[in-house]
Every structure is written in C-alpha cells, then in structure tokens.
Amino acid sequence: MSRGKTTPSAPEVWIFVEGGGSTREVQAALRLGFSNLFTKALGTRRKPSVIVSGGRDQAFKEWQRALKTNPEKLSLLLVDSEGPVPEGAAPWACLQARTGDTHWSKPQGTTDDQLHLMVQAMEAWFFADRDALLRFYGKDFQPGALPARQDVENIPKPELAKALAHASRDTTKGSYTKHHGFALIGQIDPAKLRAASPWAARFFDHLLALCPAR
C-alpha cells in the first residue's frame, strides 16, 4: 500500500478544532501547531487531518456538516470545555449544561468518543509542560508567576491566559497572546500533557486506537 492511503477497516480521521480566528493565515498557524502535537503523540502512525474552524459554534457546525457530507470519514470534535468538568461527566451532557452551549445536542448515530474537551481551555495544556514554555519564551520567562498546581484541569479558565501573560511579560516575545498559543501547542510534550490532564489522556488514547501503525 502506498504511503498515506487508508485501509477499508481504518477510516481517515478528521479532527475539527475550535480557534484560529477568521483568516486562513492565522488558522494555518493553529492547524500546524496541532498537527505537530499529533505527530509527536502518534509517532509513525497515520496522522489525522486537522480542520481549524474559528469559533466553537462554527467548529460544531462544520463537524455536523462533515458527518453528513463525508460519512466515510471518522470525524472528531475538539473544543474547550470553557469551565470545570465534574468527575465522571459525559462530554455532551457537560456542554449542554453550560450556558451558551444548550443547543449542542449529540447528533444521532454519533458517540461520546467523537467529542473531546480541552479542560478548561487550550491554554491549560501549556501548564502541563513548563519546560516548553521556558524554551519558547526564553530566560526572562517567570515560571514562578504560574499557578503551582499540577492538575491543570482545575486551573480556572479566567486565570489561564492571565497567568501566562504575567509570566511572559518581560520576555522578548512579550506577553502571551493567542498567536503564541498557536505555536506553543505544537511544542508541548504529549506525555506530560497526558499525565496532567485526564481529558487529554482520553483524547490521545482514542486517537491511538483510531490511527493504525503504517
């Protein structure tokens, strides 16, 4: 079989990700970041396609559209939880209980495994690998300004970007911005992320099961 082709028993995986703004240039940066992260997580396994969709509602709509127009693909949705997730909560029930996401009903024929959450937002994943933050920002980065806790999913969302901006304010790159995040996501260690975030571990376990070795 030629490189990159799929087998009938292993459908191609598409991952719809929220974020990336509204321009193709910015979305390309986030797509590259997630692609780099997945490449590190999957090694020589077949890689999923990353579709960056802008806002979370747009990601939800594009994912729903793909379910209808490309049913031969295995489409996953990866979005911020936007808040804490109770232990044992199902992902769809968690989002439906959140103000603003009450219209997020699980489409017929899909499974809980097709919805994955970054708890409580993508920035929480950066706290799992502080060495990556130091490499990215350089010597003037202040890790002591970050929350000390290792359970990154329990860092309140409002504190995430605020703490990153404070810790990076004196670096040559300047205070943290979303654009920094698009590069950082591809530089963190998936093993450290799995250890710090049970929801990230759930996502990578599912991805490993879906993406066979080549």
Side-chain angles (χ1 to χ4, degrees), residues 75-144:
S75 295
L76 310 181
L77 181 61
L78 177 64
V79 296
D80 295 341
S81 71
E82 302 287 346
V85 176
E87 186 174 352
W92 287 105
C94 174
L95 293 187
Q96 286 175 329
R98 188 181 93 66
T99 300
D101 288 341
T102 53
H103 59 292
W104 283 46
S105 299
K106 184 165 78 72
Q108 188 173 10
T110 62
T111 68
D112 277 351
D113 282 343
Q114 287 177 261
L115 175 60
H116 290 273
L117 302 177
M118 294 179 279
V119 181
Q120 300 182 19
M122 181 183 75
E123 282 81 0
W125 287 14
F126 307 150
F127 290 75
D129 188 354
R130 298 174 190 229
D131 293 332
L133 286 168
L134 278 168
R135 287 195 302 271
F136 182 79
Y137 283 108
K139 62 181 179 61
D140 293 323
F141 185 73
Q142 300 176 37

Side-chain angles (χ1 to χ4, degrees), residues 7-205:
T7 65
S9 60
E12 183 180 349
V13 177
W14 285 2
I15 302 177
F16 291 80
V17 182
E18 77 162 293
S22 58
T23 68
R24 289 185 177 182
E25 180 181 2
V26 178
Q27 291 181 355
L30 183 58
R31 183 183 307 111
L32 177 61
F34 272 107
S35 294
N36 288 339
L37 175 63
F38 298 157
T39 295
K40 288 193 288 187
L42 294 170
T44 59
R45 292 170 180 264
R46 199 184 68 207
K47 305 301 183 296
S49 297
V50 179
I51 299 97
V52 173
S53 303
R56 61 191 287 107
D57 270 344
Q58 185 62 30
F60 185 39
K61 290 176 182 175
E62 290 191 9
W63 174 74
Q64 288 178 296
R65 188 179 305 122
L67 295 174
K68 296 176 181 177
T69 59
N70 294 278
E72 76 282 6
K73 312 293 185 186
L74 210 166
S75 295
L76 310 181
L77 181 61
L78 177 64
V79 296
D80 295 341
S81 71
E82 302 287 346
V85 176
E87 186 174 352
W92 287 105
C94 174
L95 293 187
Q96 286 175 329
R98 188 181 93 66
T99 300
D101 288 341
T102 53
H103 59 292
W104 283 46
S105 299
K106 184 165 78 72
Q108 188 173 10
T110 62
T111 68
D112 277 351
D113 282 343
Q114 287 177 261
L115 175 60
H116 290 273
L117 302 177
M118 294 179 279
V119 181
Q120 300 182 19
M122 181 183 75
E123 282 81 0
W125 287 14
F126 307 150
F127 290 75
D129 188 354
R130 298 174 190 229
D131 293 332
L133 286 168
L134 278 168
R135 287 195 302 271
F136 182 79
Y137 283 108
K139 62 181 179 61
D140 293 323
F141 185 73
Q142 300 176 37
L146 301 177
R149 62 189 314 160
Q150 300 299 310
D151 53 344
V152 300
E153 295 181 352
N154 288 315
I155 302 173
K157 183 187 174 186
E159 294 184 16
L160 294 170
K162 184 178 178 181
L164 287 169
H166 187 60
S168 58
R169 67 189 188 283
D170 294 330
T171 67
T172 56
K173 287 185 171 69
S175 295
Y176 171 81
T177 70
K178 284 284 186 183
H179 292 276
H180 293 172
F182 300 163
L184 274 166
I185 194 67
Q187 298 185 25
I188 58 177
D189 182 341
K192 292 181 179 178
L193 177 55
R194 292 172 64 102
S197 167
W199 279 90
R202 171 185 181 267
F203 171 63
F204 285 123
D205 285 346

